[in-house]
Amino acid sequence: MNEQETLKEKLASLRSEHRDLDDVIARLAERAPYDQLQMQRLKKRKLMLKDQIMVLESRLLPDIIA
């Protein structure tokens, strides 16, 4: 497997985890009261995933010089 395919698989995995965290956060927010600390940790993890996704996407897409 080449590097491009490995990056694509990692990207798909990160996107899936990001969506799953979205669902967990939404369900947690629906039930009151909820654990603020847990919510902060989930949101922080989601942001870290988003950053990792952006890094991988930038590695997969070649730079275009205009």
Side-chain angles (χ1 to χ4, degrees):
M1 189 178 328
N2 66 23
E3 182 184 1
Q4 195 101 7
E5 291 171 352
T6 304
L7 290 175
K8 286 180 181 179
E9 285 183 10
K10 179 70 174 168
L11 185 59
S13 172
L14 291 174
R15 285 180 176 157
S16 175
E17 187 177 350
H18 188 268
R19 278 191 305 272
D20 291 346
L21 275 176
D22 240 355
D23 293 340
V24 170
I25 290 170
R27 282 195 306 266
L28 186 60
E30 287 175 356
R31 59 181 185 143
Y34 56 84
D35 185 357
Q36 288 286 336
L37 184 59
Q38 182 183 15
M39 180 69 85
Q40 285 178 332
R41 288 180 178 156
L42 290 171
K43 287 183 177 183
K44 188 172 186 175
R45 174 70 181 149
K46 187 177 165 193
L47 284 174
M48 288 178 13
L49 287 171
K50 184 177 178 182
D51 289 343
Q52 290 175 345
I53 289 168
M54 288 174 45
V55 168
L56 288 179
E57 286 175 341
S58 69
R59 288 179 64 191
L60 285 171
L61 297 175
D63 290 335
I64 300 174
I65 300 174

